[in-house]
Amino acid sequence: MADMGLIAIGAGIAVGLSGLASGVAEAGIGAAAVGAMAENEKLFGKGLILTVIPETIVIFGLVISVLLWIKME
Amino acid sequence: MLMPEKMNRVLIVGSKENMKKTIDVLYQTEAIHLVDFPAEEQGFTLGQPLTEASEASQKLLKLRALEKDMELTEDGCDMKVVDACKLRSECDQNIKELDSKLSVVVEKRVQAQTRLSDIQNDRKALEPFLAIDIPIDLYKGYNTLGVSSGYVKSDPSAQVRQASADAEVFASKDGKFIAAFYPKKDAAEVVKALMQNGFVEVPAPNGTGLPAARMKQLDDETVSLEKTMEETSKTLEELRKDYGCAVNATDEQLAIEVQVAETPLRFGATQHAFIIDGWVPESDYEALRSKIETETAGKVNIEVLETATRHESHEHDTQHIELVDYGQKDVAPTKQANGKTVRKFEYLTEMLSTPKYNEIDPTVILALTFPLFFGLMIGDMGYGIAFASLGALGLSKCKSPEWRTIATMLFFGGLWATFFGFVLFGEALGMHFGPVWEGGATAAAYPYGNELTWSYIFHYNLPHIGIFSKLVDVKMLLFISMMIGFVHLALGFGLGFYNKSVRFGLKHAVMEKFSWIMILVGGWFMLIWLIDVLIQPIAWMGFPLLQYYIYIALALILPGTIMAYLGEGGGAILELPGLMSNVLSYTRLTAIAMSKAGLALAFNTLAFSIIIDVSGTVDPVMAIIAMVVFVVGQLMVFILGIISAGLHAVRLHYVELFQKFYEGGGSKFDPLRIVRKWTSEKAGE
């Protein structure tokens, strides 16, 4: 199939870009969370939860890439 | 087991002569979480410390001063535990003895130190005069002779002699430092002449003799003083060695005495009576009551005001204001009721928040599914055994609760990883045991399979075990991990349902949590249907009536959403996609297992493909290089395994599971008790 390569690239872009997006979003939150933790160690749990919220973005990217990949087979 | 222990609000009232006995009982039973008596209560004052308090405080103050003089630190004291009774009787004697010995040394030391700093100053003052060979006692003490000594910028001798014919100027070799002697009557002119040459006065130092001799004298004194300092340091060291442990123990004992004696500050009091308010676990109450009654011959009254209810009214806004006014003292503290093993996981719960008194303590669930997830993500016998051994080692060596928690997690996680590695994936250190896919044509050429497996490496036919391969059955594994997500989330909503029904009643529980269970189950049907229609037919999985799944899904999701909307408001609808991402989030179980397997495969291929060919000949030099690559690679995968698998397992609990039922924010049960490290109380024996 000629489109295989394109589909594979598409799947890669889906994960890669959404991963970048998660990273950018988490960077700010993570820095703030570490700052808050330095003030009060008890905030670790809450900080962690807030920090990982944008991870959803990359999971959606992963799902799209899996769907693409299934199409490839 | 799931809920924190039931708490009784208890009031203890008695006359003041029984207060000491009551306090002792409270500390022995370690069963009461005191509620500070409000200072503004009418007709009451706060209790006064017991009479022992001031004496013990004084001794403690004295002791702490001695500790400071001794430069004592806690570490480096490998001591046995000291009996508290013995310590109490010997305490005064010990302090006195140490004080007398120490004061001599410290005094010597302080004197030497003062003298040393004086000498330092003298030396500094003397230094410029070294350049002029005049005894320093000649600089002072004249009636008619004026003396000026100091630095100059240019040679003033001519000008000085002009100002006063009798003046004499001595200069250093480089001409920068001078001493001028002149009749006092000419002083004004001489000083003026000096000033014109940029004179800066340096006062003459104390002492006698030539400056060089004086300097030597000072140097000698410094040496002897430094020797004294060294000697006293040694004596101090000896004192630390002889008394350090005893001082630490006495310090602890006195601190405990002060703590106990000051407990009444948290009581209420009248002129003749005291009143103690606090929380006691229901299970400990009887023991506490009978002990107080026997110890005080029934003269102290203890009664239960209420057993804290777990029910709340749902209009918590108005109630909240009241709670804030009372500083939350009316909220029962949380005493987690976990067994010995589960308790080790409490640290993980604690890291997020202490559970409320009236909600399920999630530690049990955490202790069950955390190692399970960890094991799934590692899913490898080799790493599993290594993790389990590391955990066992940590449990036998570590003392601090943090490290013990981590060791426990590694131990149980390692056991699960070994189990899954053997049963589910059939691999160790990233390689399968036996051949997995033997190509038909190549089977003869590669009798032990053409994959990098343990059979292939050792040229020995191991049986192939395991159900899935991490890098091949990815779709299936992703599907399974989502199913795990459904079960885990359903568990979360189930616990949330229980929490809500306990706290606010069944109706709220149904509207707020059962609705979500309906949506979740509906979502499951929807997912199966979607996979069947969009991705691939899954008739092979044996789901009956597959074509109706979409209707079942809608029949569950729509009413569920309406119920959730009624129960929680508009936010519920916004949370619907959130639930989907929650389920998808569990795919990380597979994703991490995959990434780990891929990484290990890469290193293994690198290591083994360079030394092993089909014929089985091995080049010794290459073998060594390959072993290094293998060990470094495996270590990296192993360490990354702790970080990624551990962190993601924690995250799945904190973010996905706990959000479904856990609120936290309780106050921890903190009973009156004595913590001893250096001493032991054998009063009861």
Side-chain angles (χ1 to χ4, degrees), chain B residues 78-346:
Chain B
D78 52 336
M79 63 172 289
K80 306 121 261 165
V81 169
V82 181
D83 181 24
C85 279
K86 199 169 142 226
L87 207 64
R88 234 181 320 237
S89 56
E90 289 173 0
C91 167
D92 291 338
Q93 184 64 32
N94 274 343
I95 293 182
K96 211 178 269 172
E97 200 180 300
L98 178 64
D99 189 21
S100 64
K101 281 191 191 172
L102 196 63
S103 58
V104 179
V105 183
V106 169
E107 205 172 311
K108 232 187 198 172
R109 216 174 146 74
V110 169
Q111 271 173 4
Q113 206 132 36
T114 324
R115 184 71 197 118
L116 266 176
S117 73
D118 285 351
I119 290 179
Q120 199 72 28
N121 292 336
D122 282 357
R123 283 174 60 113
K124 223 181 238 165
L126 188 62
E127 231 150 51
F129 291 87
L130 282 172
I132 299 172
D133 235 4
I134 300 174
I136 43 180
D137 41 340
L138 295 186
Y139 282 94
K140 282 183 192 165
Y142 302 109
N143 289 328
T144 55
L145 199 63
V147 185
S148 290
S149 53
Y151 290 103
V152 285
K153 290 212 169 107
S154 53
D155 186 10
S157 26
Q159 277 164 297
V160 170
R161 244 169 252 132
Q162 213 168 27
S164 164
D166 297 330
E168 197 158 351
V169 177
F170 299 87
S172 64
K173 265 185 198 144
D174 59 358
K176 292 215 169 121
F177 189 81
I178 56 114
F181 296 82
Y182 44 84
K184 266 199 176 155
K185 59 181 170 55
D186 299 333
E189 266 100 291
V190 172
V191 170
K192 199 171 148 203
L194 285 172
M195 286 302 178
Q196 279 163 359
N197 290 287
F199 177 73
V200 180
E201 177 147 24
V202 176
N206 299 321
T208 55
L210 285 171
R214 172 71 180 149
M215 197 55 143
K216 183 156 186 316
Q217 196 187 340
L218 287 178
D219 283 346
D220 290 347
E221 202 178 345
T222 309
V223 170
S224 91
L225 280 171
E226 265 163 7
K227 212 167 152 199
T228 317
M229 286 299 279
E230 222 166 85
E231 271 164 22
T232 51
S233 289
K234 220 177 263 168
T235 326
L236 271 187
E237 181 63 41
E238 270 161 29
L239 277 176
R240 270 203 290 274
K241 214 160 120 200
D242 294 346
Y243 287 88
C245 299
V247 168
N248 274 338
T250 314
D251 182 311
E252 180 178 286
Q253 174 64 26
L254 285 172
I256 288 168
E257 273 171 29
V258 172
Q259 182 200 345
V260 172
E262 283 181 350
T263 318
L265 288 174
R266 304 178 67 189
F267 300 169
T270 61
Q271 202 177 351
H272 298 294
F274 67 92
I275 175 166
I276 303 172
D277 188 0
W279 295 98
V280 177
E282 202 170 45
S283 54
D284 293 339
Y285 174 70
E286 263 316 302
L288 179 68
R289 192 187 59 82
S290 66
K291 188 138 194 199
I292 285 184
E293 273 181 9
T294 47
E295 289 285 322
T296 63
K299 282 185 182 147
V300 169
N301 182 48
I302 172 167
E303 63 181 291
V304 177
L305 293 182
E306 54 162 346
T307 299
T309 169
R310 303 203 201 256
H311 190 78
E312 296 171 33
S313 98
H314 207 48
E315 283 74 40
H316 30 72
D317 282 342
T318 51
Q319 205 190 6
H320 187 65
I321 292 160
E322 243 175 277
L323 286 183
V324 169
D325 279 347
Y326 280 92
Q328 294 239 329
K329 78 185 171 80
D330 286 346
V331 180
T334 306
K335 186 184 184 193
Q336 284 150 294
N338 291 315
K340 206 174 125 205
T341 310
V342 174
R343 192 170 302 145
K344 298 206 183 80
F345 287 88
E346 275 177 10

Side-chain angles (χ1 to χ4, degrees), chain B residues 485-547:
Chain B
F486 274 111
V487 174
H488 208 222
L489 289 174
L491 178 73
F493 281 124
L495 294 173
F497 180 81
Y498 182 74
N499 270 347
K500 289 275 173 196
S501 67
V502 166
R503 288 173 64 186
F504 303 116
L506 197 63
K507 186 171 156 262
H508 283 289
V510 169
M511 296 304 267
E512 287 173 30
K513 293 296 169 188
F514 189 72
S515 55
W516 281 104
I517 297 180
M518 284 167 67
I519 297 172
L520 189 72
V521 175
W524 183 83
F525 280 105
M526 178 90 98
L527 179 79
I528 301 291
W529 184 79
L530 279 175
I531 292 177
D532 185 55
V533 172
L534 290 180
I535 297 174
Q536 67 179 85
I538 49 169
W540 47 270
M541 292 196 68
F543 293 111
L545 302 172
L546 208 55
Q547 66 272 32

Side-chain angles (χ1 to χ4, degrees), chain A residues 26 41-56 59-60 62-63 66-67 69-70 73, chain B residues 350-353 472 474-475 478 535-536 577 580-581 584-585 587-588 591 647-648 650-651 654-655 659:
Chain A
E26 278 181 25
E41 267 183 50
K42 282 186 182 160
L43 289 174
F44 172 79
K46 292 195 181 75
L48 182 71
I49 289 178
L50 290 173
T51 309
V52 297
I53 283 176
E55 251 177 47
T56 320
I59 291 171
F60 288 145
L62 178 79
V63 171
V66 168
L67 287 175
W69 168 46
I70 286 165
E73 289 186 344
Chain B
E350 215 52 50
M351 203 148 70
L352 192 64
S353 186
V472 176
V474 177
K475 260 186 282 175
L478 284 176
I535 297 174
Q536 67 179 85
M580 185 172 83
S581 80
L584 290 174
S585 184
T587 53
R588 76 185 63 226
L647 211 61
H648 283 278
V650 168
R651 177 228 142 94
Y654 280 4
V655 182
Q659 301 286 304

Side-chain angles (χ1 to χ4, degrees), chain B residues 563-619:
Chain B
M563 277 160 70
Y565 174 74
L566 292 176
E568 293 179 345
I573 293 165
L574 292 178
E575 275 177 39
L576 276 175
L579 190 64
M580 185 172 83
S581 80
N582 283 163
V583 173
L584 290 174
S585 184
Y586 282 83
T587 53
R588 76 185 63 226
L589 290 175
T590 299
I592 292 189
M594 256 173 77
S595 70
K596 215 123 274 96
L599 206 59
L601 181 75
F603 281 118
N604 289 340
T605 312
L606 226 106
F608 287 108
S609 61
I610 45 177
I611 48 165
I612 298 181
D613 59 15
V614 189
S615 61
T617 48
V618 174
D619 179 350

